[in-house]
Structure formats: C-alpha cells, structure tokens
Amino acid sequence: MCKFGAVENNVQITNSIAEGFSQITDMHPVPVDPDRLIAIAQKWGTPTYIYLEKLIRERCRKLINLFPDLPVSWLYAIKANDNPHLMDIIADEGLGFDTVSYEEVLLCRKIGAEPHHIFYTENNMTDAEMKGAVEQQVILNIGSLSRLEAFCDTFPGSSCSIRIKPDIGDGHHAKVDTGNEDSKFGIRLDQLSEAIAYAEKNRVAIKGIHAHIGSGIREPENLLYEINVLLDLARLFNDLEFINFGGGIPIPYRSDEPDFDLNRFAELASGRLKTFIGEEGRPIRFLFEPGRWIVGPAGILLTQINTVKDQGRKTFLGTDTGFNHLLRPALYDAYHGVVNISAPSDAETRVYDVAGNICESGDILATDREMSESKTGDYLAILDAGAYGMTMASLYNRRALPAEILITGKGFHKAIRQRKTPEQTVDEFLQDTGYSQKK
Ligand code: LLP
C-alpha cells in the first residue's frame, strides 16, 4: 500500500468545481472556480500536479465503448503517467497496461495487475530483463531479430509477440516518430520471414504482432495505413492470437487546434477490422495502447510566480517550477496553455514569457503569451500536463519533485505523492551516493 494513499483532505470539492477543472483542461477557458485550485495550492504548496479522476474515467469509458461490436482491448501506456493511484483508476475501468521496461512491468505486478493484462514492449532488453519478464509471465513483445533469436534459444517451446517496423511514422515532433524507415524500433519487414523461420525451428509461437507509429499522431490516415500493414501481415503468422496497433492518439494543446476525431477514426478502422475478421476465420483480438489521450487533459501543473522581470523586449513571469518538472516545452518546443488563476476575470492582458527556475536559458515554459496582468504570488495553471509531465521529471539542479494531488470522483482531494523537503532531497542524494555527511 502506498503510504500517501490515506492522506485525504476532508474539504469536498463540489462537482461543479470538478467540472470547472475539466473545462480548463478540456478546452482552455478560465476555470469556473479557480479559488478551489488556489486553496489546494495553499494547502499543499507548489509546484503541484493536480489530476481529475472523473475526467480520466470518462476518457477510459469513451475508449472502451469505441468499438462496441469488435474484439478490441485497450492497454494504458503507463509511461504517460505511472502514478499508481491513477493506474488503479484506469485498471478499474477495464484497461490493461502497456509497459516498456522491466521496472514498469514490476510496477504493474506490484499494484495487482494480472500478467496477461501486462504487455511488455522491450527495447534493448538485457538477458536478465528477458528472464524476469518470462518469470512474471507477462506478454513479451520483442523488437529486434537478435533479441528474438536469443529468446528462442533460451525459451524454446514458449510464445511471444513481435514488434514490426511498419515504415510509416507520425508524431507531434520528429523525436517521437517511431515507425519511419530509420526508426530504431521494431523488426524490419524484410526480416520477418527469417524471424518466423527461427521461431518455428524453436517451436516458439508468435502469438502477437505489434507496431507503434509515433506519439501525437497528426494524420489519422497514417494510423489507418499502419493498421492495414499489420492486417496484411497477419496471414504470415500461423499462431496469431492478437494484433496490437500501438498508441499515439493525440490531444489538442492549443485552444484553436481541432480535436482528433475518434469516432470517425473508429468508423474507418471498424470497416477494415470487420472485413479482416470476415476473411480470417481465426479468433483474433485487436489491441490499442494509448497513454497521452487518457491522462493528458486530466492534469495540470500548478505553479506560483515569484519573480516578475522586465528584460526590455520581454517580460518574464518567473515560477517555482521548470523543465525539471515539465520537460515537454524544452524538449519538443511543445505548447501548453497557461492560465493565471489568481487574476480577476476582467484583468487587463499583457504578453509574457513564462520562465522556469532552472539555471539554463532554455528553461522557458511558454513564449509570447497574452495573459492576464500577473504579479508575484499569483498562481498559474499549466494545462494538459497529465501525460509525460511527472514521468519525465528529474532532480536537475537538485530540486525536489512536485507533489501530486488527485481530485477524486467524489470531489475530495488527496495527496497521491508528497513533496520532499529540500533537506530530504539532499539527504537522500547523499545517502544514494554512499557519502557520509560532514554536517
Ligand atoms: N506504445 C508505445 C510502444 C510507445 O512507445 C508509446 C509512447 C505509446 C504506446 C503511447 O503513446 P501515446 O498514446 O501516449 O502517444 N514524451 C513524449 C511522448 C513520447 C512517447 C513515447 N512512446 C511527449 O511528451 O510528447
């Protein structure tokens, strides 16, 4: 049990406030009741990630109901946000887990997920990790010919899934396009016959095929193309039980960005999947493994302005967080909406850059934003930060990680990760390095 699980605040947040939060995160208008978010900031301090259970559940249900008459299962890619309390919520909605490291596998097992609900897509897996995954009995998805051969040699007579490089990629940034010809992921199409022959020789059943073209897919057509590629390849695999089409469903980060039309996508994909089932005759399941779409809009990062600085051409709002806590703007030039939740709704606006407190000039969270006139002490909500926020956070500049708060379905809020004090942060570091403190 997580020791923070019981830290429940007895102040109830009414439903309308919870809905207000989903309004901020869903499409960026100013929150209905920012005072409640400020109350959380005052109680728990900043920087703090805040997540909304209700919205996570709604989004899971939307996915589960997307293909009502097809054998489709959903796996949540926990790399997007692996807070175990959020994973519990998502598992409770009926999703399995997609993992990409042995540590993620262990995390899923330790929070009670059944092995057959855990899909492990390896990447440069070691022999020890491979043996660990087999012992854990999770579904192992192998992404290179050499690893498949090592697996067949070590575990003849067993089964696995393989990741294929479909030679079609997409993504919100070149760094997250995983399916293109030059990608490091997956087994080449022209190596598949060799892979199949090696598996057969060792009586290894290839029960699944998988591809993931990238994260934050821009063109639904590319995902549909990848689906076609995998459906066409299915006939090569005698023992096939499932096909995993990966994740990558995007969310809009800008208020003028159109949302990915999930219903339209499902309609187009359903047609192809149904034809496939009709022609196939074998019972084959389909899997998808989104991360961002489920948790991204359900999280914000709350931060406080502690410095307002006019640098001539630019005015910076200096905050108590930075790319150590939300790396996406620095790494991908990613856009996150920022709302001053302390400013009155009729405040004058000005153009600001929102700066982090990390000692690098690239630590800018938002550039040239027209925002309410802001002052020291105001709180900012950085929107759509539920995915790839906390999981990519680091201790750079030796700063502590943010706290995490969950606004529960019933409208309460509870800490699902407590902030370490500066003393704890430094003491743990010294302890980990085996250094004996001098003071
Ligand atoms: N499956 C595999 C094999 C993946 O590599 C990923 C993401 C997913 C599923 C889930 O993708 P999603 O549905 O969340 O797009 N840090 C980047 C995103 C990197 C994603 C890496 N792989 C960001 O902040 O945008």
Side-chain angles (χ1 to χ4, degrees), residues 77 79 98 172 176 212 215-216 248 289-292 328 332 388 392:
K79 68 174 79 61
D98 166 58
H172 66 80
V176 296
H212 168 72
S215 191
E289 49 186 30
R292 180 193 317 272
R328 304 193 70 260
Y332 315 114
Y388 306 108
M392 292 176 78

Side-chain angles (χ1 to χ4, degrees), residues 75-80 98-100 119 121 141 163 172-173 175-178 185 210-217 244-251 253 288-295 326-329 331-332 334 336 387-389 391-392:
L75 304 168
Y76 166 60
I78 72 167
K79 68 174 79 61
D98 166 58
T99 63
V100 287
F119 192 79
T121 293
N141 186 35
R163 178 175 187 166
H172 66 80
H173 190 278
K175 287 179 180 158
V176 296
D177 172 334
T178 46
F185 296 107
H210 163 271
H212 168 72
I213 64 169
S215 191
I217 292 169
N244 184 337
F245 302 116
I249 307 173
I251 58 167
Y253 284 93
F288 289 94
E289 49 186 30
R292 180 193 317 272
W293 194 87
I294 296 171
V295 289
L326 182 63
L327 185 59
R328 304 193 70 260
L331 189 58
Y332 315 114
H336 285 264
Y388 306 108
T391 43
M392 292 176 78

Side-chain angles (χ1 to χ4, degrees), residues 13-35:
I13 303 204
T14 64
N15 272 343
S16 66
I17 285 137
E19 274 151 21
F21 180 60
S22 82
Q23 267 187 43
I24 328 175
T25 53
D26 251 4
M27 249 11 280
H28 303 172
V30 177
V32 171
D33 194 350
D35 289 349

